[in-house]
Amino acid sequence: MEGDEDVALNQVKVGDLLRVLPGGKTPVDGVVVEGHSSVEESMVTGEPIPVEKSAGGKVTGGTVNGLGSFVMRAERVGNDTMLGQIMGMVAQAQRNRAPIQGVADKVAAIFVPVVLAIALLTFVAWMWLGPEPKLAHAMINAVAVLIVACPCALGLATPMSIMIGVGRGAREGVLVKNAEVLERLEKVTTLVLDKTGTLTEGKPRLMDVLPADGFTSESLLQIAASLEQNSEHPLADAIVEGAIDRGLTLDSVMDFRSVTSGGVAGSVASRIVMVGKPDFLRAEKVMGLEPLEALVTKLQEDGKTTIFVAIDGKPAGILAVADPIKSSSVEAVQSLHALGLKLIMLTGDNRRTADAVAKQLGLDGVEADLQPAGKVAYINKLLYEGERVAMAGDGVNDAPALSAADVGIAMGAGAEVAMESAGVTLVRGDLRGISQAIRLGLATMRNIRQNLFFAFL
C-alpha cells in the first residue's frame, strides 16, 4: 500500500504504526488506532470465538487477524510482549525442575557400597585366616564375591521396562519424551485441564435454532445463513456451516450492510433480514424481542452465544453458537476419575462458559478468566499443597503451565511450543490418551520393581 513499508520484526520499535492485513498475525503487542477486524486470540486466552477489535482495542502479538484490516501502535516489543513473556516463563520453569533419580540408581546407591564392603571383608579375612599363599586366595575370593553378588539383571531391569513401555505408548499414540516422565505419571494425584481444544473442539459450531411463532427452524436458518455468507463476523462461518450441514440451499443477498459490533442486514429472496445483537435490531426499529430475550439466560448458562434474527421487521428467532465438548471427553473424565484423580479445569474463557463445561463433564473444580501466569500460579499452589500435578493443554498460553507441572501433556494437534514444553504428547489429540498414559506409567514402574526384586533372588 502507498506509504507503507515492510520491516523486519526485530526493527519494530515502541510507538511505530503497523498495518495488519487480513489473515496476518499481529506482530507485537499494541493498540488499534484505525480500522476494525476480528482477531482470533485463543493462543493467549483460550477463548475459541474471535474478538472484535476497533480503535482503542488492545491486540496481542502472535494472534491471528480475521478478514478485516487495521493499523496499530506498537506498545511492547521483543521479550516484553505477551508471547515473549510466555516463552520466558517456559524456560524458567524448565530450569527450575529438579531431576528425579531412577529406581535402579537408588538401589545401586545402597547395593554397590555394601557389596564392596563385603568383598573387602572377604579379602581381609582370607589374608588373616586363609592358607598360603594368602594373597592369592584373598584376591580370588574377593573377586568371586564381586562376581556372584553382581546381578546381571540389575542393569537390564530398568532400561528394558522403559524401552517396552515407551514403545507400547507410541503404538497407542502416546509419545513419552523421556523415562523420568513415566515415573512422574505413576505419582500424579491431580490433573489440570485446559478447556479450548482439550475438552472442547476449539471451533464454534451452530448448536440451537429457536424459531419464533410463524417460522420453522429450517426457514429461519436458511434465511439467516444466506445473509451471513456475506459477513466477515467470526460466528458467521458457524451459522453458514450449520445450514450447509443440514442440507439447506443458500440464496443470494442484495443490499448487504454490516454494522461494527452490532450485526448485519440485507435483502434475501425479497425479504428484509437482520442478524445480530438485540440492541442492533432495536436500532433498526424491530420491536417485540422480549419473548426471545427470555430464552437467552438458559442458553448463556449452557455457555452458548446467542444471535437474534429479524425478518421483515419482526422477531424471527434465535441462533445459538458454542464451542462443543469433544465426544470423547465424557468417557475420558469418567476413566480418569476411576483412577482416583482430581480433575480441575483452568481456562482463559469467561466464568459462565467455564462453569457450563465443568458442570456437563462433572469436573472437581474450575478456574476461569486466567492468563498464562495465572495458570502457572495455580499449579504452583497445588504443588505447594503437596499434590502431584499433571497439566493437559494445547495452546501457546498453556506452555508455561505445562512446564510448571510435574508432567505436561500436550495435544498432538496443538501449538508446537506446547508440545516442546510437555513431557507427553497425545498424537491423536484424544483426552482418553491421558488415562492410557497414566496406566502406562503405573504398569512400567510396577514392572521395574518386579524386575529389581527378581534380580536379587
Side-chain angles (χ1 to χ4, degrees):
M1 295 183 182
E2 185 178 354
D4 289 356
E5 177 186 355
D6 290 334
V7 296
L9 182 61
N10 58 10
Q11 295 179 347
V12 175
K13 299 180 177 61
V14 174
D16 286 351
L17 294 179
L18 309 171
R19 186 182 301 279
V20 182
L21 299 176
K25 287 189 176 181
T26 307
V28 296
D29 295 358
V31 60
V32 177
V33 296
E34 178 186 320
H36 69 271
S37 184
S38 296
V39 179
E40 201 270 295
E41 298 182 326
S42 63
M43 61 158 278
V44 175
T45 66
E47 169 60 65
I49 299 175
V51 179
E52 294 186 11
K53 300 291 183 180
S54 56
K58 297 287 187 178
V59 288
T60 304
T63 55
V64 182
N65 184 28
L67 298 178
S69 175
F70 60 87
V71 176
M72 60 171 287
R73 179 183 295 108
E75 291 188 335
R76 293 189 294 181
V77 301
N79 293 332
D80 294 331
T81 64
M82 173 72 77
L83 187 57
Q85 292 174 14
I86 288 175
M87 297 302 296
M89 285 187 285
V90 171
Q92 182 66 30
Q94 290 176 334
R95 285 195 296 268
N96 290 342
R97 176 175 289 164
I100 299 177
Q101 295 295 320
V103 175
D105 292 338
K106 295 177 182 178
V107 173
I110 299 173
F111 181 76
V112 172
V114 170
V115 170
L116 289 174
I118 294 174
L120 179 61
L121 289 174
T122 300
F123 180 83
V124 172
W126 277 90
M127 284 293 293
W128 181 28
L129 302 173
E132 294 293 342
K134 292 186 177 182
L135 180 59
H137 283 96
M139 288 291 293
I140 290 172
N141 285 281
V143 171
V145 169
L146 292 174
I147 293 173
V148 172
C150 178
C152 297
L154 181 62
L156 298 174
T158 300
M160 280 192 66
S161 295
I162 290 174
M163 180 180 66
I164 293 172
V166 171
R168 179 164 295 181
R171 287 197 299 272
E172 297 296 326
V174 179
L175 303 182
V176 179
K177 182 177 290 187
N178 56 58
E180 289 179 357
V181 172
L182 292 172
E183 186 174 356
R184 296 192 192 106
L185 279 169
E186 181 205 28
K187 300 173 182 177
V188 169
T189 59
T190 300
L191 176 62
V192 175
L193 299 158
D194 175 47
K195 181 184 75 70
T196 306
T198 303
L199 292 168
T200 65
E201 294 181 4
K203 181 181 180 181
R205 293 187 183 276
L206 180 66
M207 305 300 290
D208 300 294
V209 180
L210 305 177
D213 292 340
F215 297 91
T216 65
S217 298
E218 290 75 14
S219 64
L220 172 64
L221 179 57
Q222 190 270 337
I223 293 175
S226 296
L227 180 64
E228 288 283 23
Q229 66 183 327
N230 286 15
S231 174
E232 297 178 358
H233 194 278
L235 298 183
D237 288 341
I239 296 173
V240 173
E241 288 179 10
I244 293 174
D245 290 343
R246 289 164 173 79
L248 301 179
T249 301
L250 305 186
D251 295 325
S252 59
V253 180
M254 300 290 290
D255 302 322
F256 178 86
R257 60 188 175 89
S258 175
V259 177
T260 303
S261 301
V264 293
S267 176
V268 178
S270 300
R271 309 186 74 177
I272 303 302
V273 184
M274 286 163 279
V275 179
K277 298 178 180 179
D279 290 343
F280 167 69
L281 268 60
R282 287 193 174 95
E284 297 291 328
K285 311 303 181 184
V286 177
M287 298 294 115
L289 294 173
E290 290 75 13
L292 293 180
E293 289 179 311
L295 304 174
V296 168
T297 302
K298 178 62 171 65
L299 293 170
Q300 290 180 338
E301 288 176 352
D302 292 335
K304 298 173 182 176
T305 300
T306 54
I307 303 161
F308 287 69
V309 181
I311 300 176
D312 292 331
K314 297 180 181 180
I318 294 176
L319 305 178
V321 175
D323 180 17
I325 293 173
K326 289 182 179 178
S327 58
S328 60
S329 292
V330 175
E331 179 184 344
V333 168
Q334 293 173 347
S335 176
L336 292 165
H337 272 146
L339 290 172
L341 298 180
K342 182 180 180 181
L343 305 182
I344 300 174
M345 182 174 71
L346 304 184
T347 179
D349 211 342
N350 62 78
R351 167 61 63 177
R352 183 187 66 207
T353 301
D355 286 341
V357 172
K359 182 179 179 181
Q360 290 180 58
L361 292 174
L363 303 180
D364 300 304
V366 58
E367 293 292 330
D369 298 311
L370 291 180
Q371 293 293 320
K375 293 183 179 182
V376 173
Y378 191 88
I379 288 177
N380 287 334
K381 173 177 171 289
L382 293 175
L383 294 172
Y384 179 78
E385 293 171 353
E387 299 286 344
R388 296 299 182 94
V389 181
M391 164 73 186
D394 72 328
V396 174
N397 61 319
D398 299 319
L402 291 170
S403 294
D406 290 309
V407 180
I409 303 173
M411 299 292 143
E416 184 176 347
V417 66
M419 289 185 277
E420 289 177 354
S421 303
V424 177
T425 299
L426 305 181
V427 176
R428 301 185 182 96
D430 190 334
L431 203 61
R432 290 173 293 191
I434 298 178
S435 59
Q436 292 178 324
I438 292 175
R439 289 192 178 95
L440 180 65
L442 291 168
T444 301
M445 296 309 298
R446 182 170 60 248
N447 187 250
I448 288 175
R449 293 189 182 97
Q450 290 173 347
N451 290 346
L452 291 173
F453 174 77
F454 286 112
F456 290 100
L457 292 183

